[in-house]
Amino acid sequence: MKKETKYVAFSTQKGGAGKTTLTVLVASYLHYVKGYEVAVIDCDFPQHSIFEMRERDFKMVESDEYYKGMLYEQFTRMGGRKAYPVVESDTKDALNDAEDLAQDGDYDFIFFDLPGTLNNQDLVITLASMDYIVAPIAADRLVLESTLDYLIAVRDNIVNTGKSNIKGMYLLWNLVDGREKSELYEVYEGVIGELGFPILKTFVPDSKRFRREQSLSHKALFRSTLFPADKSLIKGSNLDVLTEELIELLK
């Protein structure tokens, strides 16, 4: 019996909110640490950041014995499980690409990295097919207003039509300055609460570690499509706690 695959998107119209990084971090943690079957559809044209990251990751492994050994060790430890697929796509073909993946494999989650504008009919159709949308926000008025406008538009024009698969839309505090949320966040959460959008309990701190990829220096890596975030960098990142919360919500 095939699994019920969940379609999930970290989605917002505000650039730089962290949706691509969050997609990679959560997908890699779910696949390499928690053992879930995961795939990523990268339809964020024209940059296709996740697909490009996968290309960089593979090139580094091919040319560097250190990472080649890491990948072999991981492959052995995971009983021969391969890296999760990253498909270069667009909003027009994204759902067909996801169906093709589902025919070839049995996935728990397929993540979609989507463009941020709603003025594209193909994007609207793709969004309507998501099971869950997670919108990263920061304690910045412009970011907050833009993201809330986006979610309101999705709710009013897609969810409320009764013709979508969307089961939940959640906000996620990202790029939080410091280890704790300040009183400012309580003010913002009051506004968000009045609009009826739930906020995830876990927040993600602002940290340079989120940009650490494979490098010639072989420093502990955090963001990769081939490896999970290094255990030494997990503490204080809230990535593990966030992923556990998402598993509870999405499953």
Side-chain angles (χ1 to χ4, degrees):
M1 182 177 176
K2 287 182 75 69
K3 300 171 183 174
E4 182 186 351
T5 305
K6 298 292 195 312
Y7 287 4
V8 185
F10 288 93
S11 186
T12 176
Q13 65 184 356
K14 187 65 178 173
K19 64 184 180 68
T20 296
T21 293
L22 285 166
T23 301
V24 172
L25 291 174
V26 171
S28 293
Y29 197 90
L30 283 169
H31 187 77
Y32 302 121
V33 177
K34 302 302 292 184
Y36 288 97
E37 292 296 335
V38 170
V40 174
I41 307 287
D42 184 355
C43 38
D44 194 5
F45 177 86
Q47 55 266 37
H48 287 129
S49 302
I50 300 179
F51 185 80
E52 298 248 324
M53 191 184 304
R54 168 56 62 84
E55 296 279 286
R56 288 198 307 273
D57 289 345
F58 266 134
K59 284 179 182 177
M60 184 66 80
V61 166
E62 289 170 359
S63 63
D64 192 299
E65 292 300 319
Y66 174 82
Y67 289 119
K68 196 174 292 182
M70 267 183 65
L71 192 63
Y72 177 76
E73 187 277 330
Q74 177 173 271
F75 181 77
T76 304
R77 174 173 49 81
M78 294 177 63
R81 288 182 73 221
K82 297 180 180 179
Y84 58 83
V86 177
V87 178
E88 185 178 30
S89 187
D90 53 39
T91 52
K92 183 178 180 181
D93 297 321
L95 296 176
N96 287 332
D97 288 335
E99 288 177 10
D100 289 343
L101 278 174
Q103 287 179 0
D104 296 332
D106 202 6
Y107 292 97
D108 297 288
F109 305 105
I110 297 181
F111 290 92
F112 292 73
D113 194 24
L114 302 169
T117 175
L118 278 177
N119 61 4
N120 179 312
Q121 185 62 27
D122 292 323
L123 174 58
V124 171
I125 293 170
T126 303
L127 266 175
S129 298
M130 295 300 103
D131 291 294
Y132 296 94
I133 294 172
V134 180
I137 49 171
D140 175 286
R141 182 176 175 180
L142 291 177
V143 173
L144 199 62
E145 288 181 353
S146 173
T147 305
L148 290 175
D149 285 345
Y150 175 76
L151 287 186
I152 289 169
V154 173
R155 182 180 64 188
D156 293 350
N157 300 313
I158 299 177
V159 177
N160 287 351
T161 65
K163 297 179 181 179
S164 84
N165 292 336
I166 298 173
K167 300 170 181 64
M169 295 192 295
Y170 301 92
L171 289 159
L172 164 64
W173 285 118
N174 191 31
L175 304 173
V176 174
D177 188 11
R179 290 182 177 271
E180 301 294 334
K181 293 190 296 182
S182 66
E183 292 179 5
L184 177 63
Y185 289 86
E186 294 181 13
V187 174
Y188 282 139
E189 287 183 359
V191 174
I192 294 167
E194 290 177 7
L195 292 171
F197 293 117
I199 306 171
L200 296 183
K201 297 174 185 175
T202 312
F203 67 90
V204 180
D206 189 10
S207 174
K208 291 180 180 178
R209 80 185 80 184
F210 289 94
R211 296 187 285 275
R212 272 211 202 172
E213 297 186 14
Q214 289 159 234
S215 66
L216 294 174
S217 64
H218 300 156
K219 289 183 179 179
L221 60 85
F222 200 79
R223 183 173 63 184
S224 171
T225 67
L226 294 180
F227 304 103
D230 191 278
K231 289 181 180 178
S232 66
L233 299 176
I234 291 285
K235 186 177 180 181
S237 73
N238 285 353
L239 174 59
D240 50 348
V241 185
L242 171 63
T243 308
E244 293 292 349
E245 183 177 0
L246 287 172
I247 289 171
E248 286 298 312
L249 282 175
L250 307 183
K251 294 294 286 186

